[in-house]
Amino acid sequence: MNIKNLFASSGAAMALFVLLWGSAAIFTRWGLDNTSVFILLIWRYAIALFALTLLAFKTKVWLPDLGTRKYVLCTGALLIGAYSICYFQAMRYGMTPGLLATLLGAQPILTLLLSERRYSPIRLIGLLLAFIGLTLIVSKGLSTDGLSTLGLWYAGGALLCITIGTLMQKRIKQAPQQILPLQYAITLIMCLAFLPTEEIRNTFNFGFWVPALWLGLVISVIAQLLLYKLIRTGNVVNITSLFYLVPVVTAILDYIILGNAMSTMAILGMFSIIAGIILVFRKS
């Protein structure tokens, strides 16, 4: 199956997206062992922007349609730029990855309540079941030690950015490769603006370039194109619920690549997430 056909199949696209997105945490952790947060983000989005610019030479489409550019720009600033900054700043100010993942796990539930006036109770139960499973997987990281008010505000900002940004993105009907370059350009500018706020450290070694290239090309180009296609063509609640599967993939990769065994709670959480996602899609 070629790439074009793979993108055309929604089931394959969902599976590939979850698999790729689940690897992002592994490569982000690897990259942050060798560089500062905003250095990694700047290189990530610069690489993605460069790759999408090269793609634009082939498609001859450089910008979103006239009359939509401001909306596309604001959507990208919220969904990608502000979300990325709030996410990492929340961890900088005391939010553990587990606690942050749990808070962001409310996104599909909020999306359901905001986007669908009528929904099946079973559908909501499925989301709650998946949320409980997520909590079980990240239970080891739910400590609030060192959590500051600023960290909590940034975490709340990340939740609002990704929820509202996703709903805004749903309204954009243009091809993902037509809008992403502009959105990454504004994201890059936002990250550069935050660069002076942190201590700069960087080692341009293998442990930096592999994560930067993976995050820039695989996550921010291939996975992001898949995500935008899924948002545009599918039910937005179903698509956001796929993020519950990301910790499952991350935990499996963490075991396969790094040898970190999964706890009984994590395994129970995986089954709970899978059961919840089945209910969400069955009652969509």
Side-chain angles (χ1 to χ4, degrees):
M1 179 180 289
N2 59 37
I3 292 295
K4 184 177 181 180
N5 290 335
L6 185 60
F7 272 55
S9 171
S10 60
M14 289 180 189
L16 181 59
F17 166 73
V18 171
L19 179 61
L20 295 180
W21 208 265
S23 70
I26 303 294
F27 285 90
T28 298
R29 181 64 270 164
W30 187 10
L32 291 178
D33 288 339
N34 295 277
T35 190
S36 305
V37 166
F38 283 101
I39 292 292
L40 183 61
L41 286 176
I42 288 167
W43 275 98
R44 170 183 176 173
Y45 292 121
I47 291 169
L49 181 58
F50 178 73
L52 288 168
T53 302
L54 292 180
L55 181 63
F57 277 101
K58 180 179 179 181
T59 61
K60 306 299 181 184
V61 178
W62 305 94
L63 290 169
D65 296 337
L66 286 173
T68 67
R69 292 172 186 175
K70 184 177 180 181
Y71 183 86
V72 169
L73 189 72
C74 291
T75 301
L78 193 65
L79 179 58
I80 303 175
Y83 168 72
S84 297
I85 291 170
C86 287
Y87 183 92
F88 283 104
Q89 289 292 87
M91 288 197 290
R92 177 183 179 184
Y93 288 103
M95 265 280 181
T96 63
L99 193 58
L100 187 55
T102 302
L103 180 62
L104 293 176
Q107 183 215 348
I109 299 171
L110 285 178
T111 303
L112 176 68
L113 298 177
L114 291 173
S115 64
E116 298 185 11
R117 293 182 180 180
R118 296 180 180 180
Y119 53 83
S120 166
I122 297 298
R123 194 158 154 78
L124 180 58
I125 290 172
L127 290 176
L128 292 173
L129 192 60
F131 180 77
I132 292 171
L134 170 66
T135 305
L136 291 174
I137 289 179
V138 301
S139 58
K140 286 185 177 180
L142 294 181
S143 172
T144 58
D145 295 341
L147 177 61
S148 66
T149 303
L150 191 56
L152 194 58
W153 276 106
Y154 271 119
L159 176 60
L160 287 177
C161 287
I162 193 170
T163 302
I164 298 173
T166 300
L167 293 174
M168 291 176 65
Q169 182 62 39
K170 177 64 178 176
R171 297 179 60 187
I172 299 175
K173 303 304 180 183
Q174 300 167 67
Q177 61 268 28
Q178 184 177 354
I179 63 174
L180 268 175
L182 183 62
Q183 293 185 338
Y184 281 153
I186 186 61
T187 297
L188 194 55
I189 292 171
M190 293 171 69
C191 290
L192 285 168
F194 269 81
L195 186 59
T197 67
E198 73 171 356
E199 181 181 350
I200 305 300
R201 62 177 181 85
N202 192 69
T203 305
F204 289 106
N205 58 8
F206 182 81
F208 167 79
W209 285 114
V210 173
L213 288 170
W214 184 271
L215 293 171
L217 297 176
V218 178
I219 304 300
S220 294
V221 176
I222 299 175
Q224 195 77 26
L225 287 173
L226 281 168
L227 175 61
Y228 274 18
K229 176 179 174 58
L230 291 170
I231 290 175
R232 186 178 60 159
T233 59
N235 180 281
V236 68
V237 176
N238 286 6
I239 303 311
T240 55
S241 70
L242 292 176
F243 284 100
Y244 285 128
L245 293 172
V246 170
V248 176
V249 175
T250 302
I252 293 172
L253 291 176
D254 193 31
Y255 172 70
I256 294 173
I257 298 174
L258 302 178
N260 296 321
M262 291 176 283
S263 66
T264 303
M265 294 284 281
I267 295 173
L268 290 174
M270 289 181 186
F271 284 110
S272 180
I273 288 174
I274 293 170
I277 297 299
I278 290 173
L279 289 178
V280 170
F281 277 79
R282 184 179 179 182
K283 293 296 181 179
S284 61

